[in-house]
Structure formats: C-alpha cells, structure tokens
Amino acid sequence: MTTVSPPLPQAGLSGAAYRASTRQNLLTIALGWWLLGGIFVDGWAHNQFGESLETFFTPWHALFYSGFLAVAGWCLRLASRGWRQGRRGLAAFPEGYHLAALGVPLFGLGGLGDMGWHTAFGIEVGIEALLSPTHLLLFAGAALIVASPLNAAWRSPAARTAAGGVRWVAALSGTSLLAATAFMHMYLWGLMTVPQGLGWVQTRGELSAILLTALIMTAPVLLILRRFALPFGAVTVMYFVTNLGMSFMLAPGEWRVPLLAAFSGLLADALHAVLRPGAVRVWPLRAFAFLLPLCVWVPYLGGAVRLGLSNLSLELWLGVAVMTGLGGVALSALVFPAPLPPQALEE
C-alpha cells in the first residue's frame, strides 16, 4: 500500500517562517557598513572641501552608492530565494527584512532625487547638506536597510542568552543604526565638542549637544538589552566604531575620542557582566541605565578639564554628567516600562 505524504504548507501562509541565517545576516551587516563607510567618507569630503564641490559625480558618491547597490542586490537575492519557495510580496524577504524591502526603493528614490536636486540647486554646504529633503530620504532608506538584521534577530526564536552569533547580529546591526544616527546629528555630536574646538563646552548649545548625544548612545544599548543579554564587547564595538567614523569625518587625525569611546564601552560591558540587567532584574537595569552614560561623560568631561581643554567647574561638568545618567534612567523607563495593572487593561 502506497502512503502519500501530506502536502507541505504554503510558504507565506501557514508554513515555517523564512529566516536568514547568522552568516547571511552578518553579510548584510558587512555590506551595510560598506554603504555607511561611503556615507562617512562623503561627509568628510563635504567638511573638507565645502563649496568647492561642484558635481554630483564624485569618488565618495561612487563609494556609498556602490555600497547601496551591493547591499540592495544582496537583499533582493535573499528575496529571490523566498520567491522560489512560493512566497510573494514582502513575505518573499526573510523574517525581519521587510524593513530592507521598504528601505531599498526609498534609498533609490532619494538617490535619483539627490542627483536632480544637485543639478537644479547645486551642492549644499554645512547643515544644509544633511537636512535637504533628498538626503533625509537617503538616511531613512539606509536606516531601514541596516536595521533589518537587528529586526531579524529580534524576531528569531533564539533565547535571550542564546549561544552562537544571533546576539552579535543584533549588536552589530545596532552599531550600524547608532553610526547612521550619529552621522545625521554630526552638528550636535557632543563627543566632538573639544576636538573640533567648539570651545570650552559651556554654551547652552554645547551642553544640549552633550545631553542629546548621551541619549543617542544609550538608546540602542537599552533597546538590544530588551531582547538579548549583550555579548561581552558589544558596547565597546558600538561606541568605538561609531566614534571612529565621527572622528574621521569631523576631526581627521583625532585619536583620543575613539580610544575614549572604546574605554567607555569596555567599562559598560564590565558593568553589564556584573549587574546582569534585564526586564526581570529591574533595579540592576535602572542602575545600568544610570551608569552607562557616566562611563562616557565622566572620563570625557573630567579628562577635558584635566588636560586644560575646558575650564568647566567641577559642579558644571559633573552635574552635566549626572544629568546624562538621569536621562538614561528615564529612557530605560520607556524601553522597559512598568507592567500595567489589570484595571488599566479594561475597556
């Protein structure tokens, strides 16, 4: 008697989710870094040459647009595998890669618009080069693309403390998001106040930049911590890579800030290992959220005063550092809110 196997469930309907492997996610991250590296080189060129840039067709544009083509082609290749499995629409992309499915055409649209914008209105300089409408489209598209591996890791069935590379996928993709966000806020990046010679770090704008930068650097760490226990070294990589790019772009030859960022990240990793913060360990979590920014800003501001690069009083630089810590606690309350009582869930 011949037995007939039951039909396989249709992909995209009720079948098993289509997931990218760890290696595939890491390749997406690597190609995303090609794209982001080109963007940072383009930012360096704008800061170095300013108004002397007269054309859209530059080597640095070629670098980051080639990075876009590489990562876009890779994401479409992943989607083609899903298509061959019978998946259609966004379901053809691996789980979590619907962000890339939106980001690729958005970035492409921004690139075409950017070429037309430069042709019609010339090359922007200064902050205008960041905030032009087409550049904001490019940023949004790039952010969606580089966030896809983090989204994929988040949606995976892996445990919070899973072995293997899934936690590093989340951390490295989070690094990409932090770097992209730092780039778009270069004019307010508080860790560049002293190297750029913005002077004595005591105007309202500079102090505000420090507080904003502290929130930007804390947010991705807490976000990933909501889903995974951070692998040791994750914060070190996030902070070092991001600030290496910022230093190259804004203050070429400046080596102190990337080294300080690596040292601060290492302190944060050690704190994470000791406190083991998480959703079920609320007090260690709040303590970590408070101390994480202090790992950055106490050495930075205190070191600037010690080296004679700032004349901030003890009350001012230490007070600002404590404010960054309080901001971290407030941010942790948003990322890890207290559970609602049953009454609040009633209609």
Side-chain angles (χ1 to χ4, degrees):
M1 182 176 179
T2 303
T3 59
V4 179
S5 300
L8 294 174
Q10 291 297 311
L13 298 176
S14 58
Y18 168 37
R19 302 187 189 279
S21 68
T22 296
R23 288 185 178 182
Q24 289 169 336
N25 282 322
L26 290 175
L27 182 54
T28 305
I29 292 168
L31 295 176
W33 284 15
W34 178 357
L35 166 62
L36 291 176
I39 291 175
F40 272 87
V41 171
D42 185 57
W44 166 83
H46 276 276
N47 287 323
Q48 291 294 309
F49 304 120
E51 297 182 1
S52 64
L53 296 175
E54 298 178 351
T55 177
F56 175 83
F57 300 99
T58 62
W60 23 92
H61 274 188
L63 181 60
F64 80 75
Y65 278 113
S66 63
F68 163 68
L69 291 176
V71 71
W74 169 244
C75 291
L76 292 176
R77 181 180 178 183
L78 291 176
S80 71
R81 295 180 181 179
W83 182 272
R84 291 195 298 270
Q85 295 173 7
R87 302 171 187 269
R88 297 295 179 263
L90 291 179
F93 287 82
E95 188 79 7
Y97 274 70
H98 60 277
L99 296 183
L102 298 174
V104 166
L106 192 61
F107 192 99
L109 179 63
L112 292 174
D114 195 41
M115 182 169 60
W117 188 278
H118 288 325
T119 301
F121 301 107
I123 306 296
E124 309 95 333
V125 295
I127 297 178
E128 290 87 348
L130 279 176
L131 301 183
S132 71
T134 55
H135 285 179
L136 293 178
L137 279 178
L138 291 171
F139 168 71
L144 289 170
I145 293 169
V146 301
S148 294
L150 172 58
N151 196 30
W154 191 287
R155 291 165 171 259
S156 75
R160 174 178 172 79
T161 57
V166 65
R167 291 189 292 151
W168 272 110
V169 166
L172 295 176
S173 183
T175 301
S176 302
L177 276 175
L178 177 58
T181 305
F183 177 90
M184 290 304 295
H185 292 82
M186 68 173 76
Y187 55 96
L188 288 173
W189 196 246
L191 279 171
M192 287 287 107
T193 50
V194 172
Q196 278 187 289
L198 295 182
W200 303 88
V201 205
Q202 56 188 11
T203 68
R204 292 180 183 178
E206 289 160 353
L207 295 178
S208 299
I210 289 171
L211 296 175
L212 176 63
T213 302
L215 290 177
I216 291 173
M217 292 180 67
T218 302
V221 177
L222 294 181
L223 177 64
I224 297 170
L225 190 57
R226 182 175 173 86
R227 175 63 178 86
F228 294 107
L230 297 170
F232 190 86
V235 185
T236 304
V237 171
M238 293 175 73
Y239 285 3
F240 174 71
V241 170
T242 297
N243 286 286
L244 181 64
M246 296 299 288
S247 296
F248 164 76
M249 180 174 60
L250 297 175
E254 170 57 51
W255 53 268
R256 291 171 298 182
V257 169
L259 288 182
L260 175 73
F263 172 74
S264 301
L266 190 60
L267 283 179
D269 284 317
L271 276 174
H272 178 272
V274 171
L275 295 174
R276 295 182 294 111
V280 297
R281 292 174 53 81
V282 177
W283 287 111
L285 170 68
R286 304 301 184 212
F288 178 74
F290 176 74
L291 294 172
L292 175 61
L294 295 184
C295 290
V296 177
W297 299 104
V298 168
Y300 179 74
L301 294 173
V305 171
R306 179 82 178 187
L307 294 174
L309 301 174
S310 171
N311 66 349
L312 290 177
S313 66
L314 175 64
E315 294 82 1
L316 189 52
W317 75 259
L318 190 56
V320 171
V322 171
M323 285 188 67
T324 66
L326 295 175
V329 174
L331 196 58
S332 75
L334 295 176
V335 179
F336 294 85
L340 292 172
Q343 297 84 348
L345 301 177
E346 296 176 358
E347 293 293 339

